[in-house]
């Protein structure tokens, strides 16, 4: 659909303020199709807000986001003149962007499969049978086919996040955003989620991942963006960023982080059960 | 005593009818109040809030007198039964509205955001994500209110609505056995509220099955 | 239209009625607290008979209209040889009715007292009664203060029912005035306003009490 040269995501001079507080102060970057970009930064650097603006959950104060070349949330009526898109159009755009959240927010009144089927059935108008087939395929992909008919209350946090990933995949989005998907999980459950994400990366899924898991960033990212006080301070391949950051602030961030999470870097977790295909 | 049973049975039937109509009307007005209080406009929210504050302070018997005796002064003459139903509606709707509001707010925002990212419309989110959970959350407190409403239908006897308590007074005027008749009538209400509570608890269990399954 | 003169004229009688309403509320609240506390203790005492007695009491009070309960008490008292005591009948009926709800409130609060505290009190060698009086009940009362205040607001709003057995509280006083003048509007709206004022006062008092206890015990 898109030309090979159109970036999957293009963010230009994105700005967001809450009252007097400027959270994003002109962020620009692009993500190519099939690329995995990890966004790092201290808490309060604007990472989560950035993702929420990219998928339009939070309206930006200024700047543009383009998905596959298409302007998000607005349309040009004449050169230089824009108007907000109608709600139905915005919903159509949101379908193209999957999102996995920090907090566990599966719908508790739907089974694992029901959570995955909801979007395809309600939004894409799929039949129950087709949606079920897709849900089973995706649950198998995240290693949870045996939990298809279990309600979220009976799933561990890690399992819930894997279902959330399947739920996002079910809409066949062009890009998936991850907002610290492992930060509300117990440490022993982090690995299974990261493994599913790594598997997605290997399948050339376009992903923007906000994370504190530097080990994951090192292994899976094509590029790291370091966000500091609402600006992109550094943009580099992971090895370069992790071993030879250019900025003093990046270095301090990494030092603080590595001293705290060195344990995670060395540990390599086994692949999830259902990964063989 | 035994000969008065048919009269009491007729009263009980009316109590059931009045209670069900009262619940329906109160529920309808409460939905309007909830919509008003969730409005973006201050001038829509404010009247609903003030109305709620006032009703929380006015006893239902006084409200009944106002509806039945004051409205005619303003040229609106209503029969006892409609006056009673209007009173039940006016009195219980703010309480029900608070319950509904609480239940709607209790559905985590993250779940609604997740539905938005899938591209679901507001209507679909309300229908498929919020409502199924909110109903389970609002049923227990609503059960208490509906039982209260059912019991408060007895107050309509004061303006001669022919429900159970009014019929009891009729029977007493013939039998002169007030204590026995009122104990019997109390038993009738007890059975009625027990049935109502059991039914609503069943309903709650079935809509919240997902929490335990 | 609203004629203030009618209110002024009726005010002495209404004020007397309001005073009776206040007395009725305080007396019934006392009955409610005493009965509710005993009933909650009975229910949690571990005695089988006590448990069921309390459960049946709560269920009967919650399952039947206060108006009917009031009639049962009012017409039942003479059978016990107590005659012409409408005020007493109202205090008993309203107090017993509210006591059932107080039972439920306190029961929930007692069950929320941390197990460890009870064990600590037992370890110190407190008797059962001391345990209740010094450890369980004080905390249960404070944590359930908001629910209890709410319950006593409801109790206040139930006192007009006493008018049906001719207790000259506020609502009945209003009815007496109306029976003489045939002008219900001003009187009924004034009566309603006095109740709203009473309820607001009650919630002010309870808010003060809550914040005082909250500060002293640093409970949120």
């Amino acid at each position: 659909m898109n030309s090979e040269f159109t970036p999957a995501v293009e963010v230009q001079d994105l700005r967001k303020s809450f009252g007097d507080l400027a959270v994003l102060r002109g962020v620009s970057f692009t993500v190519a199709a099939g690329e995995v970009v990890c966004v790092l930064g201290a808490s309060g650097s604007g990472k989560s807000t950035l993702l929420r603006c990219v998928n339009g959950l939070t309206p930006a104060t200024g700047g543009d986001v383009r998905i596959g070349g298409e302007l998000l949330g607005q349309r040009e009526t004449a050169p230089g003149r824009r108007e907000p898109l109608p709600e139905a159009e915005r919903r159509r755009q949101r379908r193209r962007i999957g999102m996995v959240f920090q907090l566990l927010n599966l719908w508790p009144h739907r089974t694992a499969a029901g959570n995955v089927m909801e979007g395809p059935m309600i939004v894409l108008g799929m039949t129950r049978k087709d949606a079920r087939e897709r849900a089973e395929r995706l649950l198998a992909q995240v290693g949870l086919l045996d939990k298809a008919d279990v309600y979220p209350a009976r799933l561990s946090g890690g399992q819930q996040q894997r279902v959330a990933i399947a739920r996002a995949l079910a809409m066949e989005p062009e890009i998936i955003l991850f907002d610290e998907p492992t930060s509300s999980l117990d440490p022993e459950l982090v690995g299974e989620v990261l493994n599913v994400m790594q598997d997605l990366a290997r399948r050339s899924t376009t992903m923007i991942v906000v994370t504190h898991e530097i080990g994951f960033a090192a292994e899976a990212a094509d590029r790291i963006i370091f966000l500091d006080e609402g600006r992109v301070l550094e943009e580099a391949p992971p090895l370069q960023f992790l071993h030879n950051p250019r900025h003093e602030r990046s270095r301090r961030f990494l030092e603080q982080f590595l001293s705290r999470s060195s344990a995670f870097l060395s540990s390599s977790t086994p692949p999830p059960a259902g990964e063989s295909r | 005593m035994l000969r008065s049973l048919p009269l009491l049975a007729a009263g009980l039937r009316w109590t059931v009818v009045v209670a069900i109509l009262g619940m329906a009307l109160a529920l309808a007005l409460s939905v309007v109040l909830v919509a008003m209080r969730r409005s973006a406009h201050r001038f829509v929210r404010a009247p609903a809030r003030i109305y709620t504050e006032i009703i929380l302070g006015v006893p239902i018997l006084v409200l009944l007198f106002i509806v039945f005796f004051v409205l005619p002064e303003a040229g609106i003459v209503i029969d006892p039964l409609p006056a009673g139903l209007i009173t039940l509606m006016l009195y219980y709707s703010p309480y029900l509205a608070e319950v509904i509001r609480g239940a709607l707010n209790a559905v985590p925002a993250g779940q609604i955001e997740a539905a938005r990212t899938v591209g679901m419309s507001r209507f679909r989110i309300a229908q498929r994500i919020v409502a199924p959970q909110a109903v389970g959350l609002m049923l227990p407190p609503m059960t208490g209110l509906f039982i209260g409403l059912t019991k408060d239908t007895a107050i309509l006897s004061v303006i001669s609505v022919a429900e159970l308590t009014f019929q009891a007074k009729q029977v007493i005027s013939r039998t002169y056995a007030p204590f026995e008749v009122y104990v019997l009538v109390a038993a009738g209400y007890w059975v009625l509220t027990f049935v109502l509570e059991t039914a609503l608890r069943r309903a709650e269990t079935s809509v919240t099955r997902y929490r335990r399954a | 239209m609203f004629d203030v003169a009618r209110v002024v004229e009726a005010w002495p009688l209404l004020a007397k009625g309001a005073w009776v309403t206040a007395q009725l509320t305080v007396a019934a609240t006392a009955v409610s607290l005493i009965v509710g506390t005993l009933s909650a203790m009975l229910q949690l005492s571990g005695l089988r008979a006590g448990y069921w007695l309390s459960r049946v009491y709560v269920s009967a009070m919650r399952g039947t209209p206060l108006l009917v309960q009031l009639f049962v008490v009012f017409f039942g008292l003479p059978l016990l040889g107590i005659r012409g005591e409408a005020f007493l009948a109202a205090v008993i009926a309203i107090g017993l009715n509210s006591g059932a709800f107080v039972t439920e409130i306190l029961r929930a609060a007692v069950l929320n007292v941390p197990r460890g505290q009870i064990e600590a009190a037992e370890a110190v060698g407190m008797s059962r009664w001391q345990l209740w009086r010094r450890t369980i009940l004080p905390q249960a009362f404070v944590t359930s203060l908001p629910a209890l205040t709410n319950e006593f607001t409801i109790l206040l709003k139930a006192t007009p029912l006493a008018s049906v057995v001719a207790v000259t509280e506020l609502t009945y006083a209003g009815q007496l005035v109306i029976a003489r003048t045939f002008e219900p509007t001003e009187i009924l709206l004034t009566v309603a306003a006095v109740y709203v004022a009473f309820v607001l006062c009650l919630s002010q008092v309870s808010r003060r009490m809550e914040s005082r206890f909250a500060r002293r015990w640093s409970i949120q």
Side-chain angles (χ1 to χ4, degrees), chain C residues 85-149:
Chain C
E85 293 283 359
F87 184 84
L88 181 66
V91 168
I92 292 174
I94 296 171
L96 285 180
N97 179 281
S98 169
F101 294 88
V102 169
T103 302
E104 297 285 90
I105 292 166
L106 288 181
R107 197 181 72 100
V110 168
L111 291 177
N112 269 332
V113 174
R115 187 77 217 142
Q117 289 188 16
I118 295 170
E119 280 165 3
E122 277 166 353
V124 182
M126 280 194 195
S127 72
R128 251 195 122 68
W129 170 241
Q130 287 170 324
L131 180 67
W132 273 98
R133 201 168 55 92
R134 306 203 56 89
T135 305
I136 300 177
L137 285 179
Q139 292 194 69
F141 276 120
V142 171
T143 54
S144 54
L145 209 50
L148 287 174
T149 331

Side-chain angles (χ1 to χ4, degrees), chain A residues 52 55-57 91 94-95 97 99 101 105-110 118-119 122-123 151 153-154 167 171, chain B residues 110-122 124 127-130 132-133 209-213:
Chain A
R52 296 172 65 87
N55 82 347
L57 269 180
R91 285 204 301 273
R94 254 187 232 125
R95 274 165 28 195
I97 312 164
M99 177 126 174
F101 295 84
N105 60 14
L106 290 185
W107 300 309
H109 57 302
R110 300 264 186 271
E118 188 77 8
I122 295 304
V123 178
Y151 283 94
R154 289 287 153 88
R167 178 171 73 177
M171 299 302 290
Chain B
Q111 290 184 25
I112 294 161
E113 287 195 334
R116 282 175 66 198
T117 57
V118 181
M120 286 169 79
S121 66
R122 267 162 175 261
R124 287 301 202 174
Q127 176 206 8
R128 314 251 333 163
I129 307 299
V130 178
Q133 296 180 65
R209 193 152 285 148
Y210 67 85
R211 294 188 203 151
R212 298 170 302 272

Side-chain angles (χ1 to χ4, degrees), chain A residues 89-105:
Chain A
E89 281 298 298
R90 273 190 240 191
R91 285 204 301 273
R92 188 185 53 76
Q93 290 184 333
R94 254 187 232 125
R95 274 165 28 195
R96 301 168 60 184
I97 312 164
M99 177 126 174
V100 177
F101 295 84
Q102 175 177 0
L103 297 174
L104 305 174
N105 60 14

Side-chain angles (χ1 to χ4, degrees), chain B residues 114-168:
Chain B
R116 282 175 66 198
T117 57
V118 181
M120 286 169 79
S121 66
R122 267 162 175 261
F123 171 75
R124 287 301 202 174
I125 293 173
Q127 176 206 8
R128 314 251 333 163
I129 307 299
V130 178
Q133 296 180 65
V135 167
L137 292 171
M138 63 180 83
L139 266 176
M142 252 185 199
T143 303
L145 287 173
F146 282 156
I147 286 173
L149 187 149
T150 304
K151 292 188 296 175
D152 274 346
T153 59
I155 290 171
L156 307 195
S157 66
V158 175
I159 58 166
S160 308
V161 174
E163 45 68 64
L164 183 53
T165 306
F166 182 77
Q167 297 296 14

Side-chain angles (χ1 to χ4, degrees), chain A residues 153-219:
Chain A
R154 289 287 153 88
L155 295 174
S156 73
Q159 290 170 333
Q160 289 187 45
Q161 272 315 48
R162 283 149 70 192
V163 174
I165 293 172
R167 178 171 73 177
L169 287 171
M171 299 302 290
E172 301 191 325
E174 291 159 41
I175 173 167
I176 304 188
L177 314 178
F178 291 85
D179 184 7
E180 302 191 24
T182 57
S183 64
S184 55
L185 298 181
D186 291 336
E188 71 270 21
L189 300 175
V190 167
E192 56 184 275
V193 175
L194 293 182
N195 277 323
V196 167
M197 289 166 62
Q198 220 150 33
D199 176 54
L200 287 179
R202 278 196 293 271
R203 292 164 182 241
S204 301
T205 314
T206 315
M207 295 159 62
I208 302 180
V209 184
V210 167
T211 186
H212 288 301
E213 299 294 337
I214 291 186
F216 171 80
E219 282 181 46

Side-chain angles (χ1 to χ4, degrees), chain B:
Chain B
M1 248 337 243
L2 276 178
R3 269 184 303 161
S4 53
L5 279 180
L7 203 55
L8 292 178
L12 189 63
R13 269 201 298 280
W14 268 110
T15 292
V16 172
V17 170
V18 170
I20 289 172
L21 287 176
M23 287 179 214
L25 288 169
L27 210 48
L29 183 56
S30 70
V31 171
V32 174
L33 286 173
V34 171
M36 285 174 76
R37 294 200 64 173
R38 290 168 74 93
S39 160
H41 301 283
R42 202 149 56 93
F43 299 107
V44 180
R45 285 198 310 267
R49 217 199 57 239
I50 293 167
Y51 174 68
T52 302
E53 289 288 325
I54 292 175
I55 290 293
L56 294 186
V58 176
I60 187 166
L61 184 64
V62 177
L63 186 66
L64 178 68
F65 285 153
I66 290 175
V67 170
F68 194 60
F69 294 114
V70 176
L71 289 187
E73 298 282 302
I76 311 163
V77 180
I78 20 183
D79 287 336
L81 180 61
L85 289 175
I86 289 171
T87 304
L88 292 173
M89 174 179 79
L90 292 178
Y91 188 78
Y92 276 94
S93 54
Y95 291 94
L96 287 169
E98 290 303 294
V99 167
I100 295 173
R101 239 158 53 90
L104 292 180
N105 291 339
V107 175
Q111 290 184 25
I112 294 161
E113 287 195 334
R116 282 175 66 198
T117 57
V118 181
M120 286 169 79
S121 66
R122 267 162 175 261
F123 171 75
R124 287 301 202 174
I125 293 173
Q127 176 206 8
R128 314 251 333 163
I129 307 299
V130 178
Q133 296 180 65
V135 167
L137 292 171
M138 63 180 83
L139 266 176
M142 252 185 199
T143 303
L145 287 173
F146 282 156
I147 286 173
L149 187 149
T150 304
K151 292 188 296 175
D152 274 346
T153 59
I155 290 171
L156 307 195
S157 66
V158 175
I159 58 166
S160 308
V161 174
E163 45 68 64
L164 183 53
T165 306
F166 182 77
Q167 297 296 14
K169 286 182 193 167
Q170 305 296 103
V171 170
I172 290 161
S173 65
R174 284 202 321 246
T175 60
Y176 307 108
F179 181 76
E180 291 79 358
V181 172
Y182 280 124
V183 169
L184 188 65
V185 162
Y189 280 108
W190 201 357
V191 171
L192 197 59
T193 52
F194 179 79
V195 170
L196 180 63
E197 184 160 19
T198 310
L200 289 174
R201 193 175 303 147
R202 286 250 172 91
E204 198 239 334
T205 316
S206 83
V207 296
T208 59
R209 193 152 285 148
Y210 67 85
R211 294 188 203 151
R212 298 170 302 272

